[in-house]
Amino acid sequence: MSDVSKVSTNAIRRWMYGEDLDRFDEQDETSILGELLQNSAGNVELTQRLAWREEIRLLQSIQLHKQVRKRARIYFELAVPRLGRRADVVLLVANVLVIVEFKVGEASFSQSALDQVWDYALDFKYFHDASRDICVLPVLVATNASPHVVNIGIEASADRIAKPVCAAPSQLATIIDAALAYFSGAPIEVEAWERGRYLPTPTIVEAARELYARHTVENISRCDAGARNLAGTRELIDRIVEKSRDTRRKSICFVTGVPGAGKTLVGLDVATRHLDRKSETYSVFLSGNGPLVAVLREALARDSVARAGQDGKVIRKGEARKEVETFIQNVHHFRDEYLRDTDAPPEHVVLFDEAQRAWDIEQTCAFMQRKKGRADFNQSEPEFLISCLDRHEDWAVVVCLVGSGQEINTGEAGISEWFDAILKRFHSWDVYLSPKLTEAEFQGGSAFEQVLARQNTREDADLHLATSMRSFRADSVSRFVKEVLDLEIESAKETLAGLADRYPIVLTRNLSRAKNWLRSRARGSERYGIVVSSQAERLKPHAIDVRVKTDPVKWFLDGKEDTRSSYYLEDVATEFQVQGLELDWTCVVWDGDLRVDSGHWAHHQFRGSRWNRINKAARKRYLENAYRVLMTRARQGMVLVVPEGDDGDPTRSRDFYDPTYLYLRSLGIQEI
């Protein structure tokens, strides 16, 4: 191991203190503490200073072999940006990366503390490119714990991350020696490790938290092709906004992307950089996805309260929620506001998430007559929303974030309704299009060609996000799901074969077995849950009732101890609760609503005491899209459950389930 006492050339310093272990031993406590304080942001609480003193004392007292100490380097407070935290101590010892989380003054080991140190280990393994091929050992030290028997024969997974080890301070040296004996591998090159890039793939909730805290998208997202694509899209939108403002033009642009590519992230990024109401480019992020809005608002409010607490301030959650509500708004509330108010909105830039889900003219007019008493209303939702921005006398920009195959509810017209509105009424607006809107799943229709032929229309490849960042283990999950739903058997087999080692997809007929698979796969606080179609009404014998309302905020944000959280595997979420959000691991339970019949999909809805066949093309598409949404929620892997069926129950005949199971098995999906 290199003898390096300073930060390596070109390394990004992510730690408050870093030194060779030998030199760390020789330093006095005061000088180490002084460096930690010097590199801290803001005031450091007395409790933190006392904790650092205790950690320094304990680490200088551990009795590692002399040869091991010479090959070791130590870091205090090393940033884990995706999690918004810092690891207490990281040790590079020969060929092993040791992450030590201290609980100073505690004698026991809580599950939340274990999850915390495991999360750090997983984050380094997944997202720090210099740590992917080395051995990682997470250790939780309770400073008042008594020595106890520990698993010296460390149980490690295939990706060479050991299970977290709980230890008393006096056991740390023994555990490190055991890890060195257990793991094989070349010594870690310190300079290369310090230069390693941190390439995180945050969930949308994590990304929203960091963006709202004024971090940049570069700090929280990967730097590979997918993230470069993301940056290119954001920069193009910025140029469109600036050009529209400078030339006093009105513009609308359409951003497309595969599921999980980061469309919502792009919208949030633009919106968070223009939160100042006094700014000419003041913007707002709108979504018609109620669960997404609720989950993001609650997550940001909780985070604002927590961050304020860390800075010694007090913010009530109600205040935090009120501030967040101006940043992320429900598109239907925006619509209702400007039905009442005929002035231009204060925002010149409006970002519409999931624009393909906007209502067509029939659905909008029916709603306006039924709910608003507006029998004379004759606009589609896209036409009305554009008209609100058209009220500005000078300039405006509408950004439509468009998902492919994501329309899941009655009246959701795909993107064609936006094009119809442009052709009908907004002839002077500049239009910027993703070239992928020609593809069938975007439902652009003939109107797309007419919009494309306009003189003030431009196509730009940077308006398409081609790489899924949700499934960071494999970017071809959305392609596999599309092939499954399109019944492209040979293509699906080929794509699945490329996923097998990185993104496990397994199949079973037993729900209990599927739950055990989820629990065994998830590590740390990795989130898992059961998702089903909203039409899956004959899963009640398996204790799944889609008519029982699930609270998406509790389901997505609350912890393992809450029976309403996804972790408990009791409440299930449908496509309406999970669209736009994600979990690490999912269990997709397949009902008889979408079933294979003679080599084709048969579409059904349960009413009364029987399944009724769906014949309308739009409703068939919604049902297939529901399963598309469900099967693209997992970041790391999923288990598909197709129940056995019961010939004694005519509503759950084996004929409704067996062909689907056999089809999925024929693709090569591993059975458990």
Side-chain angles (χ1 to χ4, degrees), residues 511 530-533 535-546 572 588-593 611 627 641-644 651-652 657:
L511 182 57
I530 302 172
V531 295
V532 301
S533 160
Q535 300 299 316
E537 295 207 14
R538 291 308 300 139
L539 296 177
K540 285 195 286 184
H542 304 281
I544 293 174
D545 188 348
V546 294
V572 302
V588 181
V589 186
W590 211 293
D591 200 8
D593 52 339
W611 289 103
Y627 277 88
V641 180
V642 183
E644 289 278 3
T651 68
R652 295 191 300 120
Y657 300 95

Side-chain angles (χ1 to χ4, degrees), residues 262-277:
K263 299 178 293 297
T264 301
L265 179 57
V266 166
L268 290 170
D269 183 31
V270 173
T272 51
R273 287 184 291 108
H274 301 283
L275 288 175
D276 184 359
R277 280 182 169 268

Side-chain angles (χ1 to χ4, degrees), residues 418-433:
W418 292 89
F419 297 148
D420 287 339
I422 293 167
L423 294 169
K424 173 183 175 182
R425 185 172 168 189
F426 304 105
H427 308 111
S428 64
W429 280 56
D430 296 330
V431 180
Y432 299 86
L433 298 174

Side-chain angles (χ1 to χ4, degrees), residues 410-478:
T410 302
E412 294 176 357
I415 208 65
S416 61
E417 207 71 36
W418 292 89
F419 297 148
D420 287 339
I422 293 167
L423 294 169
K424 173 183 175 182
R425 185 172 168 189
F426 304 105
H427 308 111
S428 64
W429 280 56
D430 296 330
V431 180
Y432 299 86
L433 298 174
S434 160
K436 292 294 183 179
L437 285 165
T438 56
E439 296 184 358
E441 61 261 36
F442 287 105
Q443 300 291 316
S446 60
F448 172 80
E449 298 298 335
Q450 296 177 56
V451 170
L452 187 59
R454 296 165 77 252
Q455 189 173 2
N456 52 343
T457 295
R458 299 285 182 274
E459 277 190 301
D460 197 306
D462 277 339
L463 290 174
H464 179 66
L465 298 167
T467 303
S468 175
M469 295 176 62
R470 174 179 298 137
S471 306
F472 59 86
R473 287 174 177 261
D475 58 18
S476 55
V477 175
S478 59

Side-chain angles (χ1 to χ4, degrees), residues 345-500:
E347 304 89 357
H348 278 73
V349 181
V350 173
L351 302 110
F352 291 108
D353 196 28
E354 297 180 11
Q356 76 284 350
R357 295 188 62 189
W359 289 347
D360 59 23
I361 189 167
E362 181 181 356
Q363 180 76 3
T364 309
C365 292
F367 173 83
M368 290 297 182
Q369 182 172 357
R370 188 175 67 254
K371 296 290 188 180
K372 304 295 179 182
R374 296 281 298 269
D376 59 336
F377 196 87
N378 63 351
Q379 302 176 53
S380 67
E381 198 168 38
E383 181 180 348
F384 178 73
L385 292 172
I386 299 172
S387 76
C388 294
L389 274 293
D390 198 47
R391 297 173 190 176
H392 285 290
E393 293 183 0
D394 46 8
W395 71 281
V397 175
V398 174
V399 179
C400 294
L401 308 169
V402 186
S404 61
Q406 300 283 291
E407 307 86 31
I408 57 176
N409 211 350
T410 302
E412 294 176 357
I415 208 65
S416 61
E417 207 71 36
W418 292 89
F419 297 148
D420 287 339
I422 293 167
L423 294 169
K424 173 183 175 182
R425 185 172 168 189
F426 304 105
H427 308 111
S428 64
W429 280 56
D430 296 330
V431 180
Y432 299 86
L433 298 174
S434 160
K436 292 294 183 179
L437 285 165
T438 56
E439 296 184 358
E441 61 261 36
F442 287 105
Q443 300 291 316
S446 60
F448 172 80
E449 298 298 335
Q450 296 177 56
V451 170
L452 187 59
R454 296 165 77 252
Q455 189 173 2
N456 52 343
T457 295
R458 299 285 182 274
E459 277 190 301
D460 197 306
D462 277 339
L463 290 174
H464 179 66
L465 298 167
T467 303
S468 175
M469 295 176 62
R470 174 179 298 137
S471 306
F472 59 86
R473 287 174 177 261
D475 58 18
S476 55
V477 175
S478 59
R479 182 170 77 244
F480 171 71
V481 172
K482 180 180 184 299
E483 290 163 350
V484 170
L485 293 173
D486 289 348
L487 298 169
E488 297 175 358
I489 296 174
E490 294 307 316
S491 297
K493 285 180 179 179
E494 185 177 340
T495 304
L496 179 64
L499 290 170

Side-chain angles (χ1 to χ4, degrees), residues 28 67 82 85 116 182 273 275-276 303 312 331 429 505 583 598 610 669:
D28 63 85
Q67 292 304 312
R82 186 183 71 93
R85 295 178 177 178
Q116 181 182 354
Y182 183 85
R273 287 184 291 108
L275 288 175
D276 184 359
D303 197 55
V331 69
W429 280 56
I505 300 175
L583 301 95
S598 302
R610 56 177 292 186
I669 301 177

